[in-house]
Amino acid sequence: MSVTQYRRVAALAAVAGLGLALAACSTKGDDSSSSGDKVTITVDCMPVGSQKELLKDWNADVEAFQKLNPNITIKSVSVGAQCNNPPDFTARLAGGTVTDVFYAYMTDLQQVLDSGQAMEITQYVNKDVIPTWDSISKEAKAAFSEGDKLYGIPTKNYSMGLLYNKNLFQQAGLDAKNPPKTWEEVREAAKKIAALGNGIAGYSDYSAGNTGGWHFTAELFSQGGQVVTADGKKADFNNDLGKKVLQNLKDMRYTDKSMGEKQLLQWADLLTNAGAGKVGMFVGAPDATTAIVTQFQGKYQDWAMAPMPGQGGPAKGTLGGGEGYFFKKGLSKAQVEAGLKWLAYEKLTVGKGQFDYVRAKPENNPVGLPQPQLFIPGSDAFKADNDLKVANANVTVDDFALFANNPVPIKFEPANAQAIYAILDSAMSAILTNPNASVDDELKKAEDKVNQALAAAAK
Amino acid sequence: MPSATVAPSPVHASRPAAPARRPRKAGGQKITNNVTGYAFLIGAIICFALFSWYPMVRGFIMSFQRTRRGVTTWVGWDNYERILQDPSFWTAWKNTAYFTVLALVLGYAVPFVVAIIFNELRHARGYLRVLVYLPVMLPPASALFLYKYYAYDPSDAGLFNAVLKFLHLPTSQWMQSTSMAVPAMVLASTWMNMGGAVLIYLAALQNIPGSLYEAAELDGAGLFKRIRHVTIPQTKLILSLMAMLQVVATMQLFIEPLILANGAGTQDSATSVAYLIYQHGFFQNDLNGAAALGVIMLVVLGGFSAAYLRLSAKQE
């Protein structure tokens, strides 16, 4: 081959290769199809490779489901261990690359609807398709509804409480059976735990990556406050209740020095410290202990959970949130029905999928946590699930009994929650890192920004 | 050049022989050759078009639009007005400008000085070059995590604080301090990136003819005079090019606040313009506002580049 010919072949090969590469990058594929009786759907939030047991269970469930429903093919997609890391999720929504049945937080309804990616599924959902549908809490369903239109299926929910390290409580001379009930008691206990030294924070909190705003909201709810007005149009935290939240934190951080030096923490940072035994208390959901154990080398036996503390008495509310699945716009009736069947099997059937405690117990996945709280207390599904959970518990149920037996009224997250949390991070980080930061000024700044964001969202 | 194969005609013997005409290529051959050229070019054009030009045009259009319920409408200057009213807007520009100036002082001057020192060395130059270039080989995220968890730990256990304490100097909160956040980002960024700049300067320095230094020495020039009158003028072109690249790169400050400060830092002390774009687009569900801010940034950087080109044209 002459040099000229060689160059020509190389150039054509390069162009052909590029074409192939671009074709491979294309997001349009044959993933979402229904031909004849055969239906294929793509579903995300498959566990990642490092979650070996969970991934094995997921694959086994897909196989079993497909055997039961030979006309349905499930194509699983992994989108990271967190399933909804807000920037990745936003990119998938904006780029139109979400799967046919896609995972989202309860706070994401507005964003999903604005993107135009979700379809209404009201007409397809009933107890024939999802047998436990009538047992699922109304609040959880409401998080995926707008008016009387249903856009998604809730699959997990939580409410927050006070997680505490029993080991550190004992070392600090505190009674682990009688954890703090109020923010004043949290402050006192935090001082004693921090006095142990060795870089231990008596109480720890977030202030970055949207998690600071999330926890500000949770602590405001415990005071009886709300982040936005009832009509959702204005910020409603620049008041005495909001000031108490920040003042409590400022006092613990700088007056008591009980929150440690390291701040600007986001989700993984705090849980890493907790897993290393450097955190006495923090506000969280029951499954935070799962993350501490499975991802951050902690031990279940170190942790217990109490109800959310209140100001001078029991908490007036606790933040509730959760997750579920939306359906991508444009799916056929058969695809929606296949997706609902899969969710019913994997996420909403007692004894199967996420509720398969017999399988989870020997795998050391936690059984016995008071979460999810998806089924209405007293309903058939609630009772059946609870019985199975108690029979197979592998965590000490007593450690979570104070939380489970003293329910605090749940307040769900507001619309546009992630945008609000991003702004409130700034107030939390200021108070936790700058001794001269003014609580009043920080709340005012955040209020102005939230009002601006809400006005923009309403346009 | 006269052709060796064509004899000059007797009539024009006194004239130089005319060059032989190259045989005209057939039209088909010419097209085939051009096709080969275009085929090589098309890959680059497609890549630039897809990943650079199209996103820029799309971003510009998006900055005048709003999407609600999957429906996109034109909203004129609304997104720009909203972005200009964002309380973090001017803070982000101020931080970015501060970072750029500091990076110019530290990140621009230090590599040049290091390169001059290396150039003067007779021994171990190769080892030192490797040593300075090593941080460039670390993925930027890993390098920044090293700084975040080991160097900038605000407790006394942090590397820098431990050294400061050992020297009986006051310690710092580093990224948690409103006054230290930007200098700390500059320090980490300079450490991470200076290796590449040092090698480029070193290559430029080694191209300076040794005779110029000898002449300067004969004229009695000391080290500083040699640098001022020989080194700097001889590397002016590369110095000015690196200055422009440095400014354009540092104005796009993003990964440092993202990793070192987990975002905006204390009271927005680490927020950069690029991070603000990211925050609007991916945390506040405001892709149109993010596009508007991106266009503003493009205009500013474009203005700077135009001014640079004009200045360098004048100098030439």
Side-chain angles (χ1 to χ4, degrees):
Chain A
M1 197 184 277
S2 72
V3 172
T4 318
Q5 280 172 317
Y6 175 78
R7 280 169 56 190
R8 199 168 300 146
V9 169
L12 291 172
V15 173
L18 185 70
L20 282 173
L22 291 173
C25 288
S26 165
T27 53
K28 272 263 182 218
D30 64 344
D31 293 348
S32 316
S33 60
S34 57
S35 57
D37 290 332
K38 293 272 182 193
V39 181
T40 300
I41 52 165
T42 53
V43 182
D44 66 5
C45 199
M46 175 177 76
V48 295
S50 59
Q51 298 168 305
K52 283 180 189 156
E53 297 286 358
L54 293 175
L55 182 59
K56 192 185 79 187
D57 294 347
W58 172 282
N59 287 331
D61 287 349
V62 169
E63 207 181 318
F65 175 79
Q66 289 181 159
K67 259 188 194 162
L68 279 173
N69 301 278
N71 62 327
I72 300 175
T73 304
I74 302 285
K75 286 196 172 176
S76 309
V77 176
S78 179
V79 287
Q82 206 180 324
C83 288
N84 183 348
N85 182 30
D88 304 347
F89 180 70
T90 302
R92 286 197 296 277
L93 266 185
T97 57
V98 286
T99 48
D100 297 336
V101 181
F102 63 97
Y103 175 100
Y105 292 147
M106 285 184 175
T107 48
D108 293 330
L109 177 69
Q110 206 60 41
Q111 185 185 5
V112 170
L113 293 183
D114 275 347
S115 73
Q117 295 286 336
M119 66 184 286
E120 191 199 335
I121 54 168
T122 319
Q123 57 179 316
Y124 302 107
V125 182
N126 52 56
K127 66 176 182 181
D128 294 332
V129 187
I130 300 175
T132 53
W133 185 244
D134 290 345
S135 300
I136 294 173
S137 96
K138 286 193 179 80
E139 290 81 4
K141 289 176 188 170
F144 290 91
S145 307
E146 191 183 56
D148 54 1
K149 292 179 177 171
L150 182 71
Y151 290 93
I153 303 294
T155 56
K156 206 180 254 185
N157 63 343
Y158 67 84
S159 67
M160 283 196 176
L162 183 74
L163 284 148
Y164 60 99
N165 186 316
K166 291 186 294 178
N167 221 358
L168 293 179
F169 261 57
Q170 277 156 8
Q171 287 177 39
L174 295 162
D175 181 3
K177 298 266 181 211
N178 187 25
K181 296 178 188 68
T182 63
W183 285 109
E184 294 82 352
E185 289 175 12
V186 168
R187 197 175 157 184
E188 287 310 309
K191 271 195 266 188
K192 288 179 182 160
I193 297 168
L196 294 170
N198 200 23
I200 293 169
Y203 178 80
S204 195
D205 218 331
Y206 297 118
S207 49
N210 285 19
T211 54
W214 176 44
H215 270 207
F216 174 87
T217 304
E219 288 154 30
L220 183 66
F221 285 179
S222 79
Q223 302 270 356
Q226 54 184 9
V227 278
V228 292
T229 51
D231 60 8
K233 288 182 178 168
K234 291 274 176 195
D236 193 20
F237 51 76
N238 185 12
N239 49 35
D240 285 347
L241 300 174
K243 283 172 194 168
K244 270 181 194 159
V245 171
L246 291 189
Q247 194 60 50
N248 277 343
L249 293 170
K250 191 174 182 182
D251 290 343
M252 283 196 275
R253 171 74 172 97
Y254 288 107
T255 309
D256 304 343
K257 298 188 184 349
S258 61
M259 291 185 70
E261 291 275 337
K262 290 181 197 170
Q263 300 300 329
L264 297 177
L265 306 177
Q266 50 185 348
W267 188 77
D269 302 321
L270 194 157
L271 298 186
T272 303
N273 297 342
K278 301 283 185 191
V279 174
M281 294 174 282
F282 69 99
V283 162
D287 67 352
T289 53
T290 311
I292 289 172
V293 174
T294 59
Q295 294 182 50
F296 304 103
Q297 285 79 47
K299 294 178 198 145
Y300 277 118
Q301 56 266 34
D302 285 348
W303 293 92
M305 190 169 182
M308 193 77 181
Q311 192 76 34
K316 292 181 177 152
T318 186
L319 184 142
E323 61 196 46
Y325 281 82
F326 286 96
F327 289 71
K328 191 177 185 180
K329 204 170 225 169
L331 296 186
S332 67
K333 180 173 181 282
Q335 284 178 303
V336 174
E337 285 170 353
L340 289 171
K341 258 190 178 178
W342 163 251
L343 291 179
Y345 180 88
E346 177 66 8
K347 303 287 182 184
L348 299 169
T349 299
V350 175
K352 296 272 182 210
Q354 70 165 333
F355 297 117
D356 190 344
Y357 303 129
V358 176
R359 178 176 68 186
K361 186 181 178 181
E363 289 174 349
N364 214 20
N365 289 324
V367 180
L369 297 178
Q371 188 185 344
Q373 302 153 327
L374 206 53
F375 300 125
I376 300 165
S379 64
D380 291 345
F382 178 88
K383 279 185 246 163
D385 179 58
N386 212 37
D387 291 347
L388 257 181
K389 201 186 276 179
V390 170
N392 294 284
N394 59 6
V395 299
T396 311
V397 178
D398 275 356
D399 288 339
F400 295 85
L402 279 173
F403 172 78
N405 299 334
N406 298 281
V408 174
I410 296 174
K411 280 179 90 163
F412 281 89
E413 297 171 282
N416 302 300
Q418 296 297 339
I420 294 169
Y421 294 165
I423 294 165
L424 285 168
D425 269 359
S426 179
M428 290 287 275
S429 66
I431 292 306
L432 292 176
T433 55
N434 185 355
N436 302 318
S438 151
V439 167
D440 291 354
D441 290 352
E442 293 307 320
L443 283 175
K444 177 77 181 90
K445 267 193 274 179
E447 181 187 34
D448 290 346
K449 285 185 89 168
V450 168
N451 283 339
Q452 195 194 26
L454 292 176
K459 273 187 182 172
Chain B
M1 193 173 73
S3 165
T5 53
V6 180
S9 106
V11 181
H12 305 294
S14 57
R15 293 184 189 170
R21 261 192 192 168
R22 288 177 66 192
R24 214 174 183 177
K25 274 187 180 170
Q29 177 70 33
K30 203 173 175 183
I31 289 168
T32 318
N33 279 352
N34 284 346
V35 165
T36 309
Y38 287 126
F40 274 114
L41 201 58
I42 202 161
I45 288 176
I46 289 175
C47 279
F48 272 110
L50 272 180
F51 301 114
S52 283
W53 304 327
Y54 173 70
M56 279 165 76
V57 173
R58 189 79 185 84
F60 183 75
I61 294 168
M62 274 176 70
S63 72
F64 294 99
Q65 294 176 326
R66 178 181 301 125
T67 302
R68 290 283 180 270
R69 302 285 163 147
V71 177
T72 300
T73 50
W74 285 93
V75 293
W77 295 97
D78 265 20
N79 296 319
Y80 289 88
E81 283 170 19
R82 192 175 68 256
I83 284 296
L84 287 170
Q85 285 163 9
D86 183 335
S88 300
F89 179 83
W90 293 111
T91 312
W93 277 106
K94 199 182 78 189
N95 291 341
T96 306
Y98 183 32
F99 181 91
T100 303
V101 170
L102 272 188
L104 214 52
V105 173
L106 195 68
Y108 182 63
V110 170
F112 189 59
V113 172
V114 170
I116 289 173
I117 294 169
F118 282 8
N119 200 40
E120 294 293 320
L121 292 176
R122 293 284 171 267
H123 304 288
R125 195 194 287 174
Y127 295 112
L128 289 170
R129 255 190 333 226
V130 171
L131 206 63
V132 166
Y133 197 71
L134 267 178
V136 181
M137 288 190 263
L138 269 180
S142 311
L144 289 169
F145 276 119
L146 275 177
Y147 267 83
K148 179 180 175 177
Y149 290 117
Y150 297 106
Y152 292 157
D153 185 328
S155 69
D156 288 347
L159 176 67
F160 285 1
N161 276 352
V163 172
L164 290 171
K165 206 175 169 193
F166 177 75
L167 297 171
H168 298 286
L169 291 169
T171 57
S172 171
Q173 290 286 296
W174 301 105
M175 293 309 298
Q176 292 180 195
S177 149
T178 49
S179 58
M180 277 307 293
V182 172
M185 289 194 292
V186 172
L187 189 64
S189 174
T190 303
W191 180 82
M192 270 162 48
N193 299 312
M194 71 180 271
V198 168
L199 290 195
I200 291 170
Y201 290 138
L202 206 49
L205 291 176
Q206 284 170 356
N207 272 339
I208 301 173
S211 55
L212 292 179
Y213 286 111
E214 282 165 24
E217 271 178 46
L218 286 174
D219 287 345
L223 176 67
F224 291 107
K225 278 197 171 169
R226 286 204 306 272
I227 291 172
R228 191 177 154 200
H229 295 294
V230 179
T231 309
I232 292 176
Q234 288 293 314
T235 52
K236 202 171 74 181
L237 188 68
I238 200 82
L239 279 174
S240 61
L241 181 73
M242 292 294 279
M244 189 192 75
L245 293 178
Q246 170 93 2
V247 170
V248 172
T250 51
M251 291 279 275
Q252 296 179 51
L253 167 72
F254 176 71
I255 192 171
E256 287 85 354
L258 183 74
I259 291 180
L260 292 176
N262 271 351
T266 300
Q267 292 171 300
D268 272 347
S269 58
T271 300
S272 66
V273 179
Y275 182 77
L276 197 61
I277 292 174
Y278 175 70
Q279 198 182 41
H280 270 274
F282 295 100
F283 282 107
Q284 296 186 23
N285 189 23
D286 180 18
L287 286 166
N288 300 108
L293 188 48
V295 171
I296 295 172
M297 194 177 186
L298 178 77
V299 169
V300 171
L301 287 180
F304 171 79
S305 303
Y308 163 80
L309 289 173
R310 203 165 165 194
L311 266 176
S312 24
K314 263 188 188 171
Q315 278 178 353
E316 278 164 21

